[in-house]
Amino acid sequence: MKEIIFSNWNIIRFLRLGIGLVILVQAVMAADILFGLIGLLFTGMAVFNASCCGAGACAAPPVKKDNGSQDISYEEVK
């Protein structure tokens, strides 16, 4: 858990943290619980490096490369 929190910080993760903290501060100032939950969501996503897709569920599968060569036959069309 410590490794997830303290490693792989990038610009998007800092942006999510900043947005989450700004939303949390505004929620406290406005005494709005729903707004506070959204702030906690954004802050939690940044701290735990989670995305909207969860654990890479939206990732496209890697392309399989075919190392074998095949002969291609062409046909002339008139």
Side-chain angles (χ1 to χ4, degrees), residues 36-57:
L37 291 175
I38 294 170
L40 281 174
L41 174 73
F42 275 95
T43 306
M45 285 171 56
V47 169
F48 297 112
N49 199 18
S51 66
C52 297
C53 297

Side-chain angles (χ1 to χ4, degrees), residues 9-59:
W9 281 89
N10 55 22
I11 193 88
I12 299 299
R13 199 167 169 189
F14 280 116
L15 184 66
R16 277 193 298 223
L17 181 65
I19 291 171
L21 291 176
V22 167
I23 292 173
L24 278 175
V25 168
Q26 289 295 319
V28 169
M29 290 174 60
D32 190 357
I33 294 173
L34 185 60
F35 209 48
L37 291 175
I38 294 170
L40 281 174
L41 174 73
F42 275 95
T43 306
M45 285 171 56
V47 169
F48 297 112
N49 199 18
S51 66
C52 297
C53 297
C58 294

